[in-house]
Amino acid sequence: MTTTHTDKNSFWTERRGEIVALLLIAALAAFFRFWQLDTTPPGLHYDEAFNSLYSLRISRGEMLPIFMPENNGEEPLHIYLTALYFYLVGPTPIGGRLVSAASGVVTVVSLYFLAVELFRGYGRKAAGQIGLLASLFLAIWYWSIHYNRIGMEPSMAPMMAVPAMLFIWRTVRTGAMRDAILAGFFTAASLYTYQAGRTIPVMAFLVVLYHLLFARPLLRQRLPQLGVALLAAALTFLPLGLYFLRHPEWLLMRPQQTTAATIGGESPWVSLWQGITAVLRGFAWRSDTNWRQNLPGRPMMDWLQFAFYVIGLAACLRRLKDNPYWFLLVWTALSFLPTILTEYPPHHGRSLIATLPLALTMALGAWLVGREILQRVPNRRLGQGIVLAGLAAAVFYSGSRAYNDYFHQWGTSPWLFAAFDVGLRAIGEYAGKLPDEEPIYLTPIPGDWYTLTFAMDGRDKRLRTYNGRTCLVFPAETTQTTHQLIVSEDGRSLARLQAIFPQGRQVWQYHNPYDGSLYAFDYAIPPGQRAQTQPQFPFQANFADQIMLQGYDLEPTTAPGQPLHLRLWWYLAAPTPINYTVFIHLIGETNPATGSPVWAQRDTRPCDNAYLTPRWRPGEIIADEYTLDLPTDLPIGSYTLQVGLYDWFTGERMAVQSASGPFENNVVPLTAVQVVNP
């Protein structure tokens, strides 16, 4: 039968109200997801920065990965969509968040169409009303809003889940090949979203299984279409599947990590029960307590949403074997499995897909309440007025509460400073603007922090990061303006640098915007300045013409059970690719308990593993501190303190010599230590 122009006009005329309402709901969803997105959340969290950094590299043609094994493994969809945005518009810290927000709006709109498909049994008009209610509830739901404003992959899973479920149901009902192809595509595409997205193909299989058990004649008619859907899914999954075939360890690595302490632990049934009860409590009492994922403790639903959900749940339980009621219940349970089975339940990110069946169930409950009111009020127009007024009040209550909880309670909390790496983003943006030829040191933050890397436009290799609480790194002489970026938790480095380079000055400061406290500053040292410092005890040892030991600081008298503090002054003459470990031995008479002359020992990489030898730059001085814990039964007497360097992987010691020749066994006998009575 051919659809005429009049038929099309009739379709749009009949549905004009629904279309307008859906557009208004989409606008409301966009407001909640895009409003103040450049400032709330603040900063750029480590995981967001990881996604954005990969997106930046992809947008520049540096890589085209199908899976990201770093950061415990990441699926690619969110990263590639962000890369597309960066390619078209340019990189920005909120690029990943814009993608998540847009996906949230798409999910809100598409949920309407899924609801219309699922609730066709109520009639086309009723199904449309339930669909609008479902989209409306999702649009103003705090849980959905919160995650749709974070530049990470969990928001991708609901966006793919809705069309996957929509087209699998349409395939069973209509048998259209187009629907079958789309069902297969979106079902497999969900595997490119997030670890929790792996539940979506399971749910699609359960839909088919249900019809196999309860509607077998219909399913027999749809076998060709299901075969096409399976083929489309296989082709869509093929690139990722080949990756997992070549790297099977990544298929289950993250699930194994997150379940190691729960169902993989000593009491799996106890952990399972704890996960279930935590999720159930989270519905209306106390949910996720992580600042990044929720207003800590805020339940998944407010009391009105929970009331509608309970009514919808009761309706589903009464008709458990029928469509779509079993589907809503099973989909809800399946969507919560990723948080029930893993650590820290209820984790809102791992269970974000659950917002879809929950919103549909809420919508069913609200629609049933409205229908009951219309049936009980004799005057139809009055009944409609009551329903609309009640709906407006419910939307105002839930929407205003979500707005207040997110933008006022959560969005202004000082806890967000640390939760979203606000200070690190500020440091990275400042460092990224400094001239390329000027050296930049940073303490005590690791330089491989993704927030720093992205904020510096991927040029984080310029950062020379160390832990100023255990060492100090600086050039013997500055050839360019040298920047020492110091985070306030390192309370030692500034005073020492001021003594070594008194010509330096603070040229930049960043204060915590929540409490005004100083978070970080730049102590800039002008060019042509020689370090005004030297070891307490000068000493010369040459390690393979690369690393020079210039001296040490030490209190050479100590007592049993006391810590022995040693500072070694290293100087790099030439770069080394080997990651050396420092060993320090206290040597005396043979210890009868061990049969060894070693009474105390410390093996560690420089700067307490914070500034490894391959990262040292020629001309740098590394004043590194070590502590030897002396045994309480250490005999009184004289001991020798020995030091050296070795390759941890091979055990081979680095060759070392003095001006008079090589040291025996490549061990430097540094000094004598006297152990006396306390």
Side-chain angles (χ1 to χ4, degrees), residues 26-62:
L28 184 62
F31 168 77
F32 273 106
R33 285 153 182 80
F34 288 99
W35 174 249
Q36 296 181 349
L37 192 58
D38 56 334
T39 58
T40 310
L44 188 69
H45 183 266
Y46 179 92
D47 290 333
E48 292 181 291
F50 171 83
N51 283 21
S52 293
L53 181 62
Y54 258 89
S55 300
L56 182 65
R57 292 169 177 168
I58 291 170
S59 70
R60 293 173 174 172
E62 298 174 10

Side-chain angles (χ1 to χ4, degrees), residues 214-329:
F214 299 104
R216 187 169 299 178
L218 175 63
L219 193 65
R220 287 197 187 117
Q221 299 175 21
R222 302 293 183 252
L223 286 178
Q225 291 83 354
L226 292 175
V228 169
L230 188 61
L231 178 61
L235 292 174
T236 304
F237 179 65
L238 183 62
L240 188 59
L242 290 175
Y243 179 89
F244 287 141
L245 190 64
R246 292 192 296 266
H247 306 280
E249 68 276 10
W250 288 107
L251 180 62
L252 296 176
M253 193 202 75
R254 187 57 179 161
Q256 288 172 344
Q257 285 180 337
T258 55
T259 58
T262 56
I263 60 172
E266 296 180 356
S267 305
W269 293 109
V270 173
S271 297
L272 180 62
W273 175 249
Q274 290 174 342
I276 293 171
T277 55
V279 166
L280 293 177
R281 287 195 304 270
F283 272 58
W285 180 35
R286 181 174 177 81
S287 195
D288 200 327
T289 58
N290 188 313
W291 273 100
R292 183 161 57 92
Q293 297 158 187
N294 190 29
L295 177 62
R298 188 191 195 277
M300 301 174 195
M301 311 174 193
D302 61 46
W303 69 267
L304 193 56
Q305 292 168 333
F306 184 66
F308 286 142
Y309 174 73
V310 169
I311 295 170
L313 176 64
C316 291
L317 291 173
R318 282 198 301 268
R319 303 179 62 180
L320 184 58
K321 291 185 178 181
D322 298 334
N323 289 329
Y325 310 103
W326 72 269
F327 171 75
L328 296 179
L329 296 178

